[in-house]
mmCIF file of all heavy atoms in Angstrom:
data_model
loop_
_atom_site.group_PDB
_atom_site.id
_atom_site.type_symbol
_atom_site.label_atom_id
_atom_site.label_comp_id
_atom_site.label_asym_id
_atom_site.label_seq_id
_atom_site.Cartn_x
_atom_site.Cartn_y
_atom_site.Cartn_z
ATOM 1 N N MET Z 1 182.846 85.651 156.099
ATOM 2 C CA MET Z 1 183.070 84.837 155.119
ATOM 3 C C MET Z 1 182.141 83.615 155.171
ATOM 4 O O MET Z 1 181.852 83.117 156.303
ATOM 5 C CB MET Z 1 184.496 84.296 155.165
ATOM 6 C CG MET Z 1 185.498 85.274 154.815
ATOM 7 S SD MET Z 1 187.156 84.597 154.733
ATOM 8 C CE MET Z 1 188.136 86.001 154.792
ATOM 9 N N VAL Z 2 181.768 83.026 154.098
ATOM 10 C CA VAL Z 2 180.951 81.813 154.077
ATOM 11 C C VAL Z 2 181.809 80.651 153.671
ATOM 12 O O VAL Z 2 182.595 80.738 152.811
ATOM 13 C CB VAL Z 2 179.855 81.967 153.080
ATOM 14 C CG1 VAL Z 2 178.971 80.842 152.893
ATOM 15 C CG2 VAL Z 2 178.971 83.280 153.422
ATOM 16 N N GLY Z 3 181.662 79.563 154.450
ATOM 17 C CA GLY Z 3 182.452 78.369 154.062
ATOM 18 C C GLY Z 3 181.779 77.585 152.835
ATOM 19 O O GLY Z 3 180.632 77.519 152.708
ATOM 20 N N LYS Z 9 186.580 69.504 153.027
ATOM 21 C CA LYS Z 9 187.324 70.762 153.404
ATOM 22 C C LYS Z 9 186.241 71.837 153.171
ATOM 23 O O LYS Z 9 185.423 71.902 152.494
ATOM 24 C CB LYS Z 9 188.559 71.002 152.499
ATOM 25 C CG LYS Z 9 189.555 69.952 152.470
ATOM 26 C CD LYS Z 9 190.602 70.149 151.409
ATOM 27 C CE LYS Z 9 191.646 69.059 151.420
ATOM 28 N NZ LYS Z 9 192.609 69.180 150.313
ATOM 29 N N PRO Z 15 182.648 88.254 151.570
ATOM 30 C CA PRO Z 15 181.626 89.159 151.016
ATOM 31 C C PRO Z 15 182.193 90.136 150.091
ATOM 32 O O PRO Z 15 181.560 90.565 149.227
ATOM 33 C CB PRO Z 15 181.092 89.783 152.271
ATOM 34 C CG PRO Z 15 181.244 88.857 153.307
ATOM 35 C CD PRO Z 15 182.557 88.151 153.022
ATOM 36 N N ASN Z 16 183.522 90.255 150.169
ATOM 37 C CA ASN Z 16 184.267 91.256 149.166
ATOM 38 C C ASN Z 16 184.144 90.798 147.696
ATOM 39 O O ASN Z 16 184.334 91.445 146.776
ATOM 40 C CB ASN Z 16 185.737 91.425 149.516
ATOM 41 C CG ASN Z 16 185.895 92.306 150.737
ATOM 42 O OD1 ASN Z 16 184.991 92.900 151.306
ATOM 43 N ND2 ASN Z 16 187.133 92.418 151.043
ATOM 44 N N LEU Z 17 183.922 89.403 147.634
ATOM 45 C CA LEU Z 17 184.014 88.947 146.213
ATOM 46 C C LEU Z 17 182.648 89.058 145.546
ATOM 47 O O LEU Z 17 182.404 88.585 144.487
ATOM 48 C CB LEU Z 17 184.393 87.462 146.293
ATOM 49 C CG LEU Z 17 185.735 87.226 146.727
ATOM 50 C CD1 LEU Z 17 186.022 85.712 147.008
ATOM 51 C CD2 LEU Z 17 186.745 87.790 145.867
ATOM 52 N N ALA Z 20 180.351 86.113 143.839
ATOM 53 C CA ALA Z 20 180.920 84.732 144.211
ATOM 54 C C ALA Z 20 180.336 84.466 145.690
ATOM 55 O O ALA Z 20 179.926 83.274 145.940
ATOM 56 C CB ALA Z 20 182.482 84.670 144.304
ATOM 57 N N LEU Z 23 176.591 83.577 145.066
ATOM 58 C CA LEU Z 23 176.532 82.397 144.481
ATOM 59 C C LEU Z 23 176.733 81.287 145.597
ATOM 60 O O LEU Z 23 175.979 80.285 145.632
ATOM 61 C CB LEU Z 23 177.501 82.130 143.381
ATOM 62 C CG LEU Z 23 177.619 80.693 142.896
ATOM 63 C CD1 LEU Z 23 176.263 80.238 142.275
ATOM 64 C CD2 LEU Z 23 178.687 80.631 141.770
ATOM 65 N N PHE Z 36 174.106 77.562 135.732
ATOM 66 C CA PHE Z 36 173.989 78.921 136.285
ATOM 67 C C PHE Z 36 172.740 79.546 135.883
ATOM 68 O O PHE Z 36 172.037 80.244 136.783
ATOM 69 C CB PHE Z 36 175.164 79.687 135.853
ATOM 70 C CG PHE Z 36 176.501 79.290 136.450
ATOM 71 C CD1 PHE Z 36 177.454 78.671 135.728
ATOM 72 C CD2 PHE Z 36 176.673 79.394 137.834
ATOM 73 C CE1 PHE Z 36 178.750 78.350 136.327
ATOM 74 C CE2 PHE Z 36 177.921 79.144 138.474
ATOM 75 C CZ PHE Z 36 178.871 78.428 137.703
ATOM 76 N N ILE Z 39 170.009 78.235 138.398
ATOM 77 C CA ILE Z 39 170.085 78.819 139.666
ATOM 78 C C ILE Z 39 169.652 80.273 139.792
ATOM 79 O O ILE Z 39 169.348 80.728 140.781
ATOM 80 C CB ILE Z 39 171.472 78.570 140.306
ATOM 81 C CG1 ILE Z 39 171.409 78.668 141.887
ATOM 82 C CG2 ILE Z 39 172.504 79.487 139.766
ATOM 83 C CD1 ILE Z 39 172.655 78.105 142.564
ATOM 84 N N PHE Z 50 173.372 86.959 140.852
ATOM 85 C CA PHE Z 50 173.119 86.068 141.878
ATOM 86 C C PHE Z 50 172.602 86.833 143.192
ATOM 87 O O PHE Z 50 171.758 86.252 143.858
ATOM 88 C CB PHE Z 50 174.393 85.240 142.363
ATOM 89 C CG PHE Z 50 174.835 84.396 141.261
ATOM 90 C CD1 PHE Z 50 176.105 84.455 140.709
ATOM 91 C CD2 PHE Z 50 174.045 83.510 140.751
ATOM 92 C CE1 PHE Z 50 176.673 83.706 139.740
ATOM 93 C CE2 PHE Z 50 174.419 82.564 139.606
ATOM 94 C CZ PHE Z 50 175.829 82.741 139.192
ATOM 95 N N TYR Z 55 167.823 87.995 146.855
ATOM 96 C CA TYR Z 55 166.621 88.903 147.279
ATOM 97 C C TYR Z 55 165.298 88.395 146.894
ATOM 98 O O TYR Z 55 164.436 88.319 147.576
ATOM 99 C CB TYR Z 55 166.856 90.342 146.775
ATOM 100 C CG TYR Z 55 167.869 91.053 147.738
ATOM 101 C CD1 TYR Z 55 169.185 91.450 147.326
ATOM 102 C CD2 TYR Z 55 167.379 91.609 148.948
ATOM 103 C CE1 TYR Z 55 169.952 92.182 148.188
ATOM 104 C CE2 TYR Z 55 168.184 92.280 149.722
ATOM 105 C CZ TYR Z 55 169.460 92.487 149.343
ATOM 106 O OH TYR Z 55 170.369 93.251 150.211
ATOM 107 N N ILE Z 70 178.405 85.780 160.655
ATOM 108 C CA ILE Z 70 179.060 86.481 161.876
ATOM 109 C C ILE Z 70 179.106 85.361 163.026
ATOM 110 O O ILE Z 70 180.010 85.153 163.682
ATOM 111 C CB ILE Z 70 178.584 87.772 162.232
ATOM 112 C CG1 ILE Z 70 178.720 88.830 161.281
ATOM 113 C CG2 ILE Z 70 179.115 88.171 163.588
ATOM 114 C CD1 ILE Z 70 177.990 90.031 161.401
ATOM 115 N N LYS Z 71 178.050 84.791 163.200
ATOM 116 C CA LYS Z 71 177.897 83.664 164.230
ATOM 117 C C LYS Z 71 178.957 82.569 163.949
ATOM 118 O O LYS Z 71 179.550 82.100 164.821
ATOM 119 C CB LYS Z 71 176.486 83.121 164.379
ATOM 120 C CG LYS Z 71 175.532 84.018 165.206
ATOM 121 C CD LYS Z 71 174.227 83.428 165.259
ATOM 122 C CE LYS Z 71 173.273 84.413 166.084
ATOM 123 N NZ LYS Z 71 171.911 83.915 166.111
ATOM 124 N N GLU Z 72 178.973 82.123 162.721
ATOM 125 C CA GLU Z 72 179.835 81.097 162.285
ATOM 126 C C GLU Z 72 181.325 81.501 162.581
ATOM 127 O O GLU Z 72 182.163 80.742 163.112
ATOM 128 C CB GLU Z 72 179.578 80.728 160.807
ATOM 129 C CG GLU Z 72 180.540 79.637 160.307
ATOM 130 C CD GLU Z 72 180.324 79.363 158.724
ATOM 131 O OE1 GLU Z 72 179.153 79.348 158.417
ATOM 132 O OE2 GLU Z 72 181.363 79.184 158.131
ATOM 133 N N SER Z 76 185.628 80.836 165.919
ATOM 134 C CA SER Z 76 186.919 80.726 165.809
ATOM 135 C C SER Z 76 187.699 82.104 165.632
ATOM 136 O O SER Z 76 188.851 82.156 165.678
ATOM 137 C CB SER Z 76 187.429 79.789 164.598
ATOM 138 O OG SER Z 76 186.950 80.294 163.410
ATOM 139 N N GLY Z 77 186.966 83.088 165.378
ATOM 140 C CA GLY Z 77 187.564 84.460 165.153
ATOM 141 C C GLY Z 77 187.631 85.314 166.362
ATOM 142 O O GLY Z 77 186.893 85.144 167.254
ATOM 143 N N LEU Z 90 179.595 95.672 155.786
ATOM 144 C CA LEU Z 90 179.071 97.052 155.574
ATOM 145 C C LEU Z 90 179.377 97.603 154.157
ATOM 146 O O LEU Z 90 178.665 98.271 153.511
ATOM 147 C CB LEU Z 90 179.467 98.030 156.743
ATOM 148 C CG LEU Z 90 178.838 97.910 157.982
ATOM 149 C CD1 LEU Z 90 179.449 98.754 159.031
ATOM 150 C CD2 LEU Z 90 177.380 98.239 157.921
ATOM 151 N N MET Z 91 180.685 97.411 153.783
ATOM 152 C CA MET Z 91 181.260 97.840 152.462
ATOM 153 C C MET Z 91 180.499 97.232 151.341
ATOM 154 O O MET Z 91 180.498 97.817 150.314
ATOM 155 C CB MET Z 91 182.735 97.554 152.415
ATOM 156 C CG MET Z 91 183.465 98.540 153.344
ATOM 157 S SD MET Z 91 185.292 98.610 153.204
ATOM 158 C CE MET Z 91 185.599 96.912 153.120
ATOM 159 N N SER Z 94 174.846 95.765 151.146
ATOM 160 C CA SER Z 94 173.709 94.919 150.841
ATOM 161 C C SER Z 94 172.816 94.513 152.119
ATOM 162 O O SER Z 94 171.804 93.832 151.907
ATOM 163 C CB SER Z 94 174.077 93.699 150.092
ATOM 164 O OG SER Z 94 175.093 92.972 150.838
ATOM 165 N N GLU Z 103 173.567 94.613 166.498
ATOM 166 C CA GLU Z 103 172.855 94.320 167.810
ATOM 167 C C GLU Z 103 172.889 92.885 168.087
ATOM 168 O O GLU Z 103 173.062 92.299 169.121
ATOM 169 C CB GLU Z 103 171.570 94.867 167.952
ATOM 170 C CG GLU Z 103 171.645 96.523 168.150
ATOM 171 C CD GLU Z 103 172.504 96.908 169.333
ATOM 172 O OE1 GLU Z 103 172.394 96.313 170.403
ATOM 173 O OE2 GLU Z 103 173.316 97.903 169.182
#
Side-chain angles (χ1 to χ4, degrees):
M1 291 187 193
V2 177
K9 298 176 184 177
N16 284 0
L17 296 176
L23 174 60
F36 288 113
I39 202 167
F50 297 123
Y55 277 104
I70 295 169
K71 284 182 180 179
E72 181 181 317
S76 60
L90 285 173
M91 291 187 314
S94 58
E103 290 300 319

